[in-house]
Amino acid sequence: DVKVTQSSRYLVKRTGEKVFLECVQDMDHENMFWYRQDPGLGLRLIYFSYDVKMKEKGDIPEGYSVSREKKERFSLILESASTNQTSMYLCASRAFSYEQYFGPGTRLTVT
Amino acid sequence: DAKTTQPPSMDCAEGRAANLPCNHSTISGNEYVYWYRQIHSQGPQYIIHGLKNNETNEMASLIITEDRKSSTLILPHATLRDTAVYYCIVKDTNAGKSTFGDGTTLTVKP
C-alpha cells in the first residue's frame, strides 16, 4: 500500500515563527503536492513538485515556500507564520499520470 | 484543467444507490474524470477515474455521458461510512496539478 505520512497531526505555533511541515512518501512517486483546506473554501493547491529540486506554484503560494531535496520528501515552509495560515494542510503524492494519495493532514493553529 | 460543477449536498438512504452528478462541459479530449472522497478528519481518498468508457471497481461505478460533458459516480449500496465529501476533478493525466472544487457532501442516513 502507498503510504504518505506527515510529520504532525496537530501543531500550534506563534505568529512570526518559522514552521516546517514535512511529508514523506514511500512509493517512489515523482509528483508531490501541498494543499490547504479551509471550511467553505475546499482544497486549495499551494505548491507542487514534479521532481527533486523542482517546484511549481499552485493557486495560493503567497506566504509559503517548499523544498524537495529528496524524491520521497516534500517540505512546506511558513517563513513567518500568521494567523490566517491556521488551516488543515494536506500532502499528496502521485506517480506520473495516476491518482493522488493523500496523507492524514496536519492541523496547524497559529496564535 | 476543466472546471467542474457539483451539487453542494445530497442525502441517501442506507442500502440504496447513491448517484452523485458532476458537470464538466468544458472538458477536452485528453482530460480524464477523477473522483475522490474525503471522510471527516482524513485526507482525500481516490475512488475511480475514466476517460470515456464507463468504469467499475470495488468501490464504485463511473458513468460518463457520450459527449463527456457530465458524469455520475454511483455507490451501489451506500453505507453510513460512505458519508463524506465527494470531489469530481477533470484533468490531463500528464498535468502536474489537480484542482479540487467544493465537492458534494453526501450524507447517508439510516
Side-chain angles (χ1 to χ4, degrees):
Chain A
D1 279 352
V2 176
K3 196 165 182 184
V4 179
T5 56
Q6 295 182 227
S7 49
S8 306
R9 287 302 305 272
Y10 300 94
L11 205 55
V12 179
K13 295 291 182 180
R14 292 187 183 278
T15 301
E17 278 193 85
K18 190 169 186 175
V19 182
F20 291 88
L21 302 182
E22 300 276 316
C23 175
V24 178
Q25 50 95 1
D26 65 358
M27 284 301 291
D28 202 36
H29 285 170
E30 296 87 357
N31 299 322
M32 295 187 75
F33 307 82
W34 274 107
Y35 295 86
R36 65 178 281 179
Q37 186 173 35
D38 302 285
L41 297 176
L43 274 166
R44 294 181 291 168
L45 180 66
I46 304 171
Y47 268 97
F48 66 100
S49 167
Y50 52 88
D51 203 350
V52 176
K53 297 192 186 293
M54 306 303 289
K55 60 184 179 184
E56 292 287 340
K57 292 180 181 179
D59 300 316
I60 51 161
E62 297 79 18
Y64 303 94
S65 62
V66 289
S67 171
R68 187 140 181 231
E69 295 297 317
K70 294 185 178 181
K71 193 174 185 181
E72 68 270 18
R73 189 179 297 268
F74 191 35
S75 303
L76 179 70
I77 303 155
L78 288 66
E79 292 288 342
S80 178
S82 63
T83 54
N84 63 12
Q85 292 179 309
T86 291
S87 185
M88 169 69 86
Y89 289 88
L90 289 155
C91 172
S93 76
R94 195 190 72 181
F96 180 63
S97 60
Y98 296 98
E99 64 270 21
Q100 291 186 72
Y101 293 87
F102 284 82
T106 296
R107 187 166 292 283
L108 172 68
T109 302
V110 183
T111 61
Chain B
D1 293 343
K3 185 181 163 92
T4 61
T5 304
Q6 299 176 253
S9 64
M10 291 180 64
D11 290 344
C12 177
E14 189 178 18
R16 299 292 187 117
N19 297 283
L20 293 99
C22 180
N23 287 324
H24 31 80
S25 58
T26 59
I27 192 170
S28 61
N30 59 345
E31 288 183 314
Y32 283 68
V33 180
Y34 285 78
W35 283 85
Y36 291 80
R37 75 178 183 184
Q38 186 173 23
I39 295 169
H40 184 61
S41 298
Q42 298 181 23
Q45 175 193 24
Y46 165 81
I47 302 172
I48 199 167
H49 76 284
L51 183 64
K52 52 185 177 181
N53 296 323
N54 298 336
E55 301 288 342
T56 295
N57 63 20
E58 65 278 3
M59 290 182 69
S61 295
L62 174 61
I63 307 298
I64 302 173
T65 58
E66 195 168 337
D67 64 7
R68 303 208 325 121
K69 293 185 177 181
S70 65
S71 60
T72 301
L73 179 75
I74 301 171
L75 308 179
H77 304 287
T79 69
L80 299 180
R81 292 183 180 184
D82 292 323
T83 292
V85 179
Y86 287 79
Y87 296 99
C88 167
I89 298 154
V90 289
K91 64 180 295 294
D92 181 339
T93 57
N94 293 324
K97 64 176 187 174
S98 298
T99 301
F100 284 72
D102 292 334
T104 296
T105 298
L106 174 70
T107 304
V108 180
K109 298 185 173 181

